[in-house]
Amino acid sequence: MKNVLNFLEVLFSENDIEKLLKNIISYTKEYIKADRGTLYLYNEENNSLESIVIEGENISKIELKIDKNSITGYAFLEDKILNIKDVYDEKNLKKIDKNLKHNEELDKKIGYKIKSILVIPIKKGNKKLGILELIKKEKSFSKKDEEKLNLIAKFIGIALYNSLTIVNILQKQEEKKILIENIAEAIVITDLDMKILEVNSSFMEMLGFRYTFGEIKDRYLPDILSEISKELIQKTENVKKSWIADELLSDLIKIKILPVIIKDFNKEKLKKIIYIFKYPKG
């Protein structure tokens, strides 16, 4: 039990996704006394399982279809733990499902003939995140091994879900930053009260670098652009009411005002406003 508690502490204290995945495999393999372990994550785009952590040198990544042509793919498909004592016992496999097969390519990938396999889907609630695969080349896994793996799998699912959520958030933030920084026009993103949330470097340049981002963050945008504040406020109110993009034209600059609409529990909501500044040509 002490080892399990130590593992749980590692699970919920590790923020680095790569280290977390390696820790999951390393600990689980030792805890269950397996020869090798592989963690597959579910790829929703092509509906497949991709090996993220696989122990052993010179082993290329493995991609599995979610079907009955592999024990691991079948376990994920049917959402069940499988403890197969002999993966080449076709008679026993057919008792589970008449079309179930062992994928012999796995043996070739790791360099030896597998004897037994223990696999369990990794989930957070009802959401399947991936599957954990443990193998032995000589002995078999016991019923107790199965129970031990089932015990820690729930905690692995929670920790993995939390880490993947953080990764997705960081990726979206980075994508947004890249998008903003690669647009030549000056851009400002505000909340619905016109308080500045984000700007790109072109906007700072437009202001003559009179401010740092820290100085203008959360500032009321019309206060920064006092010369056109009245018109800007009016146009923004129009966009907020209509949810339709509008433009503000002046002798010096053109501002496109865009509503940011998102779906929240199947309801559309206006969340932010984007301002794109463009100097007239000529």
Side-chain angles (χ1 to χ4, degrees), residues 17 40 62 88 108 143 175 177 195 199 209 223 228-229 233 244:
I17 184 70
Y40 297 84
I62 301 170
Y88 283 93
K108 295 177 183 178
K143 184 66 178 177
E175 287 169 3
K177 184 178 179 181
K195 289 183 179 179
V199 302
F209 297 106
D223 286 347
I228 55 171
S229 61
I233 293 169
I244 298 173

Side-chain angles (χ1 to χ4, degrees), residues 38-251:
T38 303
L39 179 62
Y40 297 84
L41 290 186
Y42 176 47
N43 185 326
E44 293 186 31
E45 290 185 7
N46 57 16
N47 194 36
S48 67
L49 295 168
E50 295 181 356
S51 62
I52 302 300
V53 179
I54 180 167
E55 290 199 335
E57 296 181 1
N58 302 319
I59 298 178
S60 58
K61 286 193 174 183
I62 301 170
E63 183 173 331
L64 294 176
K65 293 181 179 179
I66 301 174
D67 57 23
K68 300 176 182 180
N69 291 316
S70 73
I71 293 167
T72 302
Y74 174 80
F76 186 86
L77 178 68
E78 297 296 326
D79 191 18
K80 60 172 66 174
I81 185 170
L82 285 182
N83 183 358
I84 308 297
K85 296 187 180 299
D86 184 352
V87 298
Y88 283 93
D89 185 345
E90 294 184 4
K91 187 176 180 180
N92 185 49
L93 292 181
K94 290 188 183 301
K95 287 180 181 179
I96 300 171
D97 188 287
K98 64 179 182 179
N99 296 313
L100 181 58
K101 300 176 183 177
H102 167 57
N103 185 352
E104 295 183 30
E105 287 298 315
L106 183 59
D107 299 52
K108 295 177 183 178
K109 287 271 188 181
I110 64 176
Y112 59 75
K113 192 173 181 178
I114 297 169
K115 168 68 175 177
S116 59
I117 188 168
L118 177 60
V119 289
I120 187 169
I122 301 300
K123 303 188 294 181
K124 168 66 167 62
N126 293 323
K127 183 178 178 62
K128 290 191 283 187
L129 306 172
I131 192 162
L132 188 57
E133 172 191 88
L134 301 174
I135 60 176
K136 286 186 177 182
K137 58 182 178 181
E138 293 178 358
K139 299 180 180 180
S140 300
F141 294 99
S142 66
K143 184 66 178 177
K144 187 175 181 181
D145 291 333
E146 187 179 327
E147 292 170 354
K148 287 164 67 176
L149 184 60
N150 197 32
L151 172 67
I152 63 172
K154 295 175 183 177
F155 297 108
I156 292 173
I158 295 170
L160 186 57
Y161 177 82
N162 291 342
S163 290
L164 290 173
T165 300
I166 292 170
V167 168
N168 287 335
I169 290 171
L170 293 175
Q171 284 178 342
K172 288 178 182 177
Q173 288 177 340
E174 186 62 24
E175 287 169 3
K176 183 185 76 172
K177 184 178 179 181
I178 291 171
L179 175 65
I180 290 175
E181 292 297 338
N182 281 278
I183 295 178
E185 289 78 22
I187 294 177
V188 178
I189 301 174
T190 74
D191 63 14
L192 299 183
D193 294 323
M194 300 182 73
K195 289 183 179 179
I196 296 172
L197 301 175
E198 188 69 75
V199 302
N200 68 348
S201 57
S202 295
F203 181 74
M204 303 298 283
E205 183 180 2
M206 187 185 85
L207 297 180
F209 297 106
R210 298 194 307 272
Y211 308 95
T212 65
F213 176 67
E215 290 171 333
I216 64 171
K217 189 177 186 306
D218 297 324
R219 287 275 303 272
Y220 185 49
L221 181 60
D223 286 347
I224 303 292
L225 304 172
S226 56
E227 299 88 349
I228 55 171
S229 61
K230 186 176 179 180
E231 297 90 340
L232 189 63
I233 293 169
Q234 184 59 56
K235 288 288 187 180
T236 300
E237 288 301 317
N238 292 343
V239 170
K240 286 164 62 177
K241 289 176 182 177
S242 66
W243 291 17
I244 298 173
D246 202 348
E247 286 188 349
L248 170 60
L249 299 172
S250 73
D251 294 335

